[in-house]
Amino acid sequence: MPYFCNTKISHMKILVLNSGSSSLKFQLFDMPQTKVLVKGLAERIGEATSRFKANDYEVNQPIGTHKDALQLLTTYLLDDKNQIIKDTSEIVAVGHRVVHGGNTFVQPTLITEEVKDKIKELFSLAPLHNPANLTGIETAEEIFKDAKQIAIFDTAFHQSIPVENHKYAIPETFYEKGIRKYGFHGISHQYVSREANKILERTDTKLITLHLGNGASATAVRNGKSFDTTMGFGPMNGLIMGTRSGDIDQSIIFYLMDKLNYTLDEIQTILNKQSGMKALAGSNDLRDIETATDNGDNQAQLALKMYAGAIKKYIGNFTAQMNGLDALIFTAGIGENSQKVRELVCKNLDVFGIEIDKKKNKNPKDYQGDISGQDSKVKILVIPTNEELEIAKQTFDLMQS
Ligand code: ADP
C-alpha cells in the first residue's frame, strides 16, 4: 500500500464526512494540496423533502438513509461528466468528525471495531451526536471498502486542558466516573489558533479563540494547546448561544423541578432549545437581532449587550489565567460576519490592550482579517474557520505517519 511507505505522498484523495442525525456534510480533498474537489451535503435524510447537493449539482428527492446519501455521492463522483474519480478505491481515507471522544481519544484515530465500541460507550455523553457520527462511519465502511476510516474528535484538542481547569469541585467519585470538563468545537479552535500563530509567526503564544456560531465557545490557547474553554461536560455551559443559555446558576434547575414542577426533559428542552438569544430577543438568527437593534428594539439591544458581555467576562478570565494575551480571534458565522458583535466585544477592553479599528472591522477581508487598532497591544483577528480542512489535514498526517 503506497501510503505506508516512507516516501511522501504527492496526491491523496481524502473524503471528509460530518454526519448529523438527519444530515451528511461532505468534502472531497486532494491532499496535501488542500484542493477541494467536491463539496456538498444531504439534508433532511429520512424525510420526504430531502435534498442532495454536490458542487453545482442539486436534486430534491427522498433520501431514506445515510447510506442512500453516500450512494448519491458516489454516483456523482463516478459520473464521467464530473471526472472526479474512476473508482471508489481512489479515495484512500475517509476522515470523520466525531463529537465526543471522552477521555479515551486525544488524537486522530484509525477506526477499528474496538474504536467503534468505545465511540458507542460514549453515546451517553453525546446522545445527539455520537450515534449519528457512528452511522456515518459504518455507512462509509460499506461504501468505501478500500479506504482507511479515521476519526477526528471535537473534544480531542481540549484534552490538554490541565486538571485544575478541567476538574469540577464536586466529590471525587464523580470525577472517577468521567464527570469533568471536555469542551467542544475543538477542531475549529485548533484550526484557527494554528492559523493565528502563522500570522503571528510564532507558536509560543497566548490566544483566545471565539467560535461564535449557533453554538458558541471561547478557548484559551497557550503555546498551541487548549488551556481552558467555556463549554464543559456538555455543550450548554459558558457563552450565551443561539438557543442555549450558557452559564446559569444550577439552583435554577432545582427550583424549576421542585417548585415549578417541570420535568427533566422539559428543563433540557428549555435550556438547550428555548434559551439564549431566542429567549432574549425572539430569534436565534443574529441577523434578525441586528436588524431589530437597528430599528431601536430594546429587547434586541439588551440581548446583544448580554451576548457580548458573556464573551467579555471570559476574555478577562482567560487573560488573567494566561497572564497575558497576544491575539483575540473571531470565527464561525457570527464571529466572521458580525461587525456589531466584534465591536461590542472589543469595546472598553483597552485595559487589556485590546483596541479595535472600526474601519477595518467593517471589511476585515480587505485587511487579511487583522482588525486591530494601531495602538492595540493585542492582535484582533477574523479568521474563517474550516473544520473540514482541519479534518482532512489531520487525516492526511495520520496516513503519512
Ligand atoms: P453553526 O453552529 O450552525 O455551524 P454558523 O457558524 O453557521 O453556525 O453560524 C450561524 C450564526 O451566524 C447565525 O446566528 C447567523 O445569524 C450568523 N450569521 C451568519 N451570517 C451572518 C451575517 N452576515 N451577519 C451576522 N450574523 C451572521
Side-chain angles (χ1 to χ4, degrees), residues 25 185 211-215 284-288 290 332-334 337-339 387:
K25 293 188 192 137
H185 297 137
H211 177 104
L212 310 176
N214 265 318
N284 59 325
D285 192 320
L286 200 93
R287 285 164 288 203
D288 297 342
E290 287 190 338
I334 295 169
N337 295 301
S338 174
Q339 177 192 342
E387 287 159 294

Side-chain angles (χ1 to χ4, degrees), residues 300-399:
Q301 280 165 0
L302 175 64
L304 266 189
K305 195 171 177 187
M306 288 173 68
Y307 183 88
I311 297 170
K312 286 164 105 91
K313 284 177 198 166
Y314 278 102
I315 292 175
N317 175 331
F318 290 164
T319 306
Q321 284 200 64
M322 294 192 287
N323 190 20
L325 182 64
D326 295 308
L328 181 66
I329 294 111
F330 287 90
T331 195
I334 295 169
E336 290 165 31
N337 295 301
S338 174
Q339 177 192 342
K340 202 172 245 148
V341 163
R342 292 191 300 260
E343 187 178 328
L344 279 174
V345 167
C346 294
K347 195 171 165 185
N348 295 334
L349 284 187
D350 46 314
V351 65
F352 293 113
I354 295 173
E355 288 179 51
I356 198 167
D357 183 316
K358 286 189 184 170
K359 184 167 158 257
K360 292 181 178 170
N361 187 33
K362 272 192 191 154
N363 287 307
K365 281 189 193 130
D366 293 348
Y367 303 91
Q368 287 85 43
D370 185 346
I371 56 170
S372 342
Q374 213 179 357
D375 298 325
S376 188
K377 293 193 185 73
V378 173
K379 273 236 182 284
I380 309 169
L381 303 170
V382 180
I383 302 180
T385 193
N386 195 337
E387 287 159 294
E388 290 77 16
L389 177 58
E390 181 63 30
I391 293 171
K393 279 183 178 166
Q394 294 192 22
T395 302
F396 179 76
D397 288 347
L398 185 68
M399 294 295 289

